[in-house]
Structure formats: C-alpha cells, structure tokens
C-alpha cells in the first residue's frame, strides 16, 4: 500500500481551513489524526490533491466545562479525553469508554471529531454520546448529534464545513452511565450505553442507545419508556426492554454476524448494561463507567 502524493496544508484557524476547502473543492479534505483518511488514500478508496490539517487550530483542541456541559474540541484525541482531569471529575464514564476505543497508537492521534465525521457505523463514541443527548457544534450551527450523524459514512457537513466541538450535558449526580461493547475485529460489533437515574427503589429515567449492529447508532426510546418508573427488581420489565431495544436497533448482517445474532447481542448487552447501572446504589455519573471489549 503506497500513499499517493498530496499537498498538506497546516492551518491555524477555522476560517483558513474553510477558505482552502472551498478553494480546492472536491480535491480537498480535512485531515486530523489521519487514522481513517490515510488508510482510505492508501487503499485507493479516495483521492485528494490537498489535505487541510486542522490539528493546529487551537479552538478545536480544548476540553472545557460550559454551563454544566462538557465541550470537547473536535480535534481532541481519544487519549486526551481519556486522560483529562476534567472528564475524570465530571463524566468518568466517558474516559472509561475512550480507554477502550481502538488501540493506544490510534487513540494517541485519532480524534473524537474524526471518529464522528467519518461516521463509521461501528463507533463507540457515537453510541455513548447519543445516550447523553450530545450536540454537534459545527460551522453550520449547533445540532443534536442524532441529526448530525445522517447515516453510514455521512454527516450533515456540507462542502467547506467543519465540526468544531461536541457538547455533552453532564448528567446529574443520581445518574449512572455504563457503556459496554463486544468486538471480534478492530471495530466494535455491538455497542450499548445506558444512562439510568434511580430514586429510592425505582428507575426514574432510563436512556439507552444501541450502535454498531446496524448502519447507525439509535436511541431505543420504547425500551426507555418501558423502564421508566419500574422497580429495580422487575426482571420481566428489563427482558421486555431488551427486546424493544433489539427491535429498535436496525441490525443488519455483516462480517460480525447475522441479523438474528446481532439482535441477541443487543438483548444481552442491554440487560448487562442496565443491571450494572443499577447495581451500585451509591453510584452516579461520576462513578467509573464500565466497558468490556470481549465477553
Ligand atoms: C485499528 C483501528 C481500530 C479502531 N477501533 C475503534 C473502536 O474500537 N471504536 C471506535 O469507536 N472507533 C475505532 N476506530 C476508529 C477511530 O476512532 C478513528 O479512526 C479515529 O477517531 C479517527 O480520527 P482521526 O482524527 O484520525 O480522523 P481522520 O482520519 O483525520 O479523519 C476522518 C474523517 O473525518 C473528517 N474530519 C476529521 N475531523 C474533522 C472535522 N473537525 N471537521 C470535519 N471533518 C473532519 C476527515 O476529512 C475524514 O473524512 C478504530 C480505527 C482503527 C484504525
């Protein structure tokens, strides 16, 4: 595999990047860590004469707290998020999810923005962020992530536009967030995130996202409704919710398995995720989240 020649344009501002992207049109692409893009170029699946390197844009890099939301710059790497003291304090489940993305080499250079803009259906962050009602801040405005991720390998970005940041509302102290996945190859085969609020002995709110089994990550809203208000020991409700989540998952057959197999993965992961979320009654979103790469 040989990398074809291209001009690399390191830029320091969003305006500069946009100007270059518009000038070169279809012959230009944004590059951040390059872990997806350079592979595409090497394999000959894409070809660009100009790559606009956004890693030097300061405003795309930081991680900050704004009005009880974590705002993560699009160029922040998985590793930076995993190791951020602010993330560790306010949303450790996010750090824990990031710790299990790819391998250390990919996490060191690969960015959250690159993961989302590539819109590979097999994504940990897409599932996790969907469950937490995250928003995408991009040069076209601010959009719920569910609308930004249009479909497989497709986002709301138009030519010349960039993702600036991801805004994640920090869940309350009484919410426990758990993300779990199964992976047989490099990318996850199934991902589930549950964010559960518990009061006394019952569930007051459940948010569930399912991803990697179909062409996009989805919210399992019928499953969320089934669990709202149930007592913690209502096993039948959980089984029904897991079934509803499987129904919502839009699973498709691929190299990871058949539709029926994927549906079973979703049922099992939803049950495990939810049980883990309610297991520690002293828990909250600030308690460590949990991820398994292989079960
Ligand atoms: C071996 C391997 C294992 C992996 N395992 C996992 C896994 O377990 N879980 C998982 O979720 N992911 C996994 N991934 C995917 C990984 O998370 C992504 O490769 C990485 O996050 C992409 O970031 P990047 O900065 O390298 O993107 P790049 O390759 O630089 O860009 C990717 C795409 O996004 C566009 N882009 C990048 N940033 C922006 C921006 N700010 N605005 C507009 N467009 C932009 C680029 O033009 C390009 O089309 C894996 C990848 C590899 C190579």
């Amino acid at each position: 595999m040989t990398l074809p020649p291209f001009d690399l344009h390191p830029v320091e501002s969003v305006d500069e990047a946009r100007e270059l992207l518009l000038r070169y049109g279809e012959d230009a692409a944004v590059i951040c860590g390059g872990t997806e893009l350079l592979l595409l170029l090497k394999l000959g699946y894409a070809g660009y004469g100009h790559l606009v390197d956004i890693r030097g844009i300061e405003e795309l890099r930081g991680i900050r707290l704004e009005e009880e939301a974590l705002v993560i710059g699009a160029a922040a790497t998985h590793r930076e998020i995993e190791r951020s003291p602010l993330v560790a304090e306010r949303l450790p489940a996010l750090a824990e999810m990031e710790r299990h993305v790819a391998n250390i080499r990919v996490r060191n250079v690969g960015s959250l923005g690159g993961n989302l803009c590539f819109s590979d259906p097999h994504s940990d962050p897409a599932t996790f962020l969907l469950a937490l009602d995250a928003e995408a801040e991009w040069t076209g405005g601010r959009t719920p992530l569910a609308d930004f991720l249009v479909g497989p390998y497709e986002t709301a970005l138009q030519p010349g536009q960039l993702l600036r940041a991801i805004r994640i509302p920090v869940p309350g102290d009484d919410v426990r967030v758990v993300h779990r996945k199964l992976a047989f190859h490099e990318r996850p085969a199934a991902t589930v995130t549950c964010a559960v609020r518990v009061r006394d002995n019952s569930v007051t709110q459940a948010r569930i996202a399912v991803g990697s089994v179909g062409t996009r990550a989805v919210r399992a809203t019928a499953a969320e409704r089934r669990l709202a208000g149930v007592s913690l020991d209502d096993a039948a409700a959980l089984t029904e919710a897991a079934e509803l989540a499987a129904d919502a998952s839009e699973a498709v057959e691929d190299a990871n398995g058949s539709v029926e197999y994927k549906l079973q993965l979703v049922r099992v992961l939803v049950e495990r995720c939810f049980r883990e979320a309610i297991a520690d009654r002293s828990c909250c979103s600030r308690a460590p989240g949990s991820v398994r790469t292989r079960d």
Side-chain angles (χ1 to χ4, degrees), residues 91-93 96 99 176-178 276 280 283-290:
L91 188 51
E96 188 64 15
R99 191 163 300 130
R176 174 75 188 271
V177 183
V178 177
E276 196 170 330
D280 179 1
C283 68
C284 63
S285 61
R286 293 175 194 176
S290 169

Side-chain angles (χ1 to χ4, degrees), residues 102-123:
N103 54 52
I104 186 76
R105 283 183 303 159
V106 171
R107 290 203 301 283
N108 262 330
V109 290
S111 61
L112 178 61
N115 181 296
L116 298 173
C117 290
F118 194 58
S119 201
D120 185 325
H122 305 94
S123 165

